[in-house]
Amino acid sequence: MIPACLSDDWILCPEREDISAEFTRLLTAAQEGGATIAECLMIARQLKRGDEQSWHREWKKLARVNRHRAEAAFAEGHMATAQRNWLRAMNYYSAAAMPLDPADERRWVAVLAMQDCARRSLATRGPAGEVVTVPWVEGHSLQGYFLPAPSANGRAPTVICIGEPGHRKEEFLFKLAPHARERGFSMLALDLLGDQRDDYTDMLLQRRDLESSIASVMDYLETRSDVDFDRVAIVADGWGSSFVARAVLQEPRLAAAVCDGGLWDLHERSFFASRFAMSDLSIVPVPHSPLMASSVDFPVLITLGEDGWLKADRARQIVQKSRLGSSDIVLKVFTAAETGAAQAHADNPSLANEYIFDWLETQLGATGRRI
């Protein structure tokens, strides 16, 4: 039975949009093994209205239960159960950290516990995953999890998965890794934070060269003997910035890309131009969209939900005008009737990721890179 505190559309706390969005994320994570619906509903019943600390306290408690269950299963040689419980514990620690201020020491403790669970889960895979460091700029490196393809024989097509500045990579271990594995891909899950605390996001957002991180990642992958470097794609998970889309224009070594295509940059340019009545968009301090370039050397997929921040009709218009005759830019709009229509497909990420990885399978399959 759904607890009374839940209203329509899985809104847990109408007065706290962030908490409601996080609870929706946890429920949808159950589809991919990042949670269980029963545990999520149990926590919903235990949360105390007016007690903002109860969210952190209850999810941390649940994370510990799953963590201890994983350790017991691992000790007894039950790798599959250990992996499932570590992934759930990892996600619950992430939930516990979410509402806390970045300067709150409890947030950092939860992040460290989340990362420990992620790393422990890598050892239960076959073949095992590994933690990797990718040099980027002086004084700061990227950190990632490399998950080899299930065959682990020879070079495999590889998918880079990265989120927006401030987003942590651990979620990809249950959200995207199964889709990559089922299609014979290796996967490199990354974030821009590296080993820094969450308040480092402010520093990242001040940088004007975030897209240079992707070139560094490609340099790293080129050194690996288990990566088919002619079949490397990138998936930018989520919206809010177009640094991956800008990298797409500068990185000819990619074979395919899934990103916002620069639509968010164009949306910001339009907003600033209308707000300040600027007729010359070139003076608006927002980067140009890669879709405005004359050509892209590889296929690009853009997905969005019709109920998201950017209206679907507007996105179609932008893509149509910006393609300049190219057939390699594909726009997929998920409708409310099929679900996946929310911003960043938050209502059904599984459906969107199935579509995305099927598309990637077409691009990176037997035919390899398009010529």
Side-chain angles (χ1 to χ4, degrees), residues 241-258:
S241 138
S242 292
F243 82 93
V244 171
R246 295 194 294 272
V248 162
L249 187 61
Q250 304 172 13
E251 188 44 79
R253 295 175 291 179
L254 286 166
V258 182

Side-chain angles (χ1 to χ4, degrees), residues 182-343:
E182 289 164 359
R183 292 161 179 80
F185 298 159
S186 294
M187 187 183 93
L188 177 59
L190 288 159
D191 59 44
L192 297 178
L193 288 166
D195 59 1
Q196 300 289 331
R197 296 183 179 228
D198 289 341
D199 54 7
Y200 189 70
T201 302
D202 293 337
M203 295 289 293
L204 289 172
L205 293 175
Q206 294 176 23
R207 299 193 64 93
R208 294 182 173 271
D209 63 344
L210 292 180
E211 56 268 30
S212 68
S213 62
I214 306 306
S216 296
V217 173
M218 294 297 288
D219 290 343
Y220 165 76
L221 289 177
E222 196 168 15
T223 67
R224 294 191 64 107
S225 61
D226 53 356
V227 170
D228 183 344
F229 199 65
D230 286 331
R231 295 192 289 171
V232 176
I234 189 167
V235 173
D237 188 69
W239 276 50
S241 138
S242 292
F243 82 93
V244 171
R246 295 194 294 272
V248 162
L249 187 61
Q250 304 172 13
E251 188 44 79
R253 295 175 291 179
L254 286 166
V258 182
C259 62
D260 77 352
L263 292 179
W264 188 255
D265 276 351
L266 284 173
H267 177 68
E268 287 185 325
R269 288 169 63 79
S270 177
F271 170 77
F272 281 116
S274 61
R275 179 159 185 169
F276 297 106
M278 293 179 176
S279 58
D280 181 3
L281 289 181
S282 66
I283 65 175
V284 180
V286 182
H288 284 282
S289 163
L291 281 179
M292 300 302 290
S294 59
S295 65
V296 179
D297 293 333
F298 46 83
V300 175
L301 171 65
I302 305 167
T303 71
L304 70 145
E306 68 173 359
D307 295 333
W309 298 336
L310 185 62
K311 297 303 180 184
D313 288 344
R314 175 60 177 152
R316 292 189 184 98
Q317 291 174 1
I318 293 174
V319 171
Q320 189 62 38
K321 291 180 179 179
S322 304
R323 285 170 64 166
L324 300 177
S326 170
S327 61
D328 278 344
I329 299 174
V330 177
L331 173 65
K332 164 61 178 176
V333 177
F334 287 85
T335 66
E338 61 184 324
T339 72
Q343 178 64 27

Side-chain angles (χ1 to χ4, degrees), residues 142-204:
L142 308 178
Q143 192 179 81
Y145 303 129
F146 187 84
L147 310 181
S151 64
N153 293 320
R155 298 178 181 269
T158 301
V159 179
I160 303 163
C161 299
I162 191 167
E164 298 303 323
H167 181 276
R168 291 198 176 272
K169 61 191 173 296
E170 282 71 25
E171 182 184 25
F172 300 148
L173 295 184
F174 63 80
K175 182 179 180 181
L176 301 181
H179 297 281
R181 183 181 181 87
E182 289 164 359
R183 292 161 179 80
F185 298 159
S186 294
M187 187 183 93
L188 177 59
L190 288 159
D191 59 44
L192 297 178
L193 288 166
D195 59 1
Q196 300 289 331
R197 296 183 179 228
D198 289 341
D199 54 7
Y200 189 70
T201 302
D202 293 337
M203 295 289 293
L204 289 172

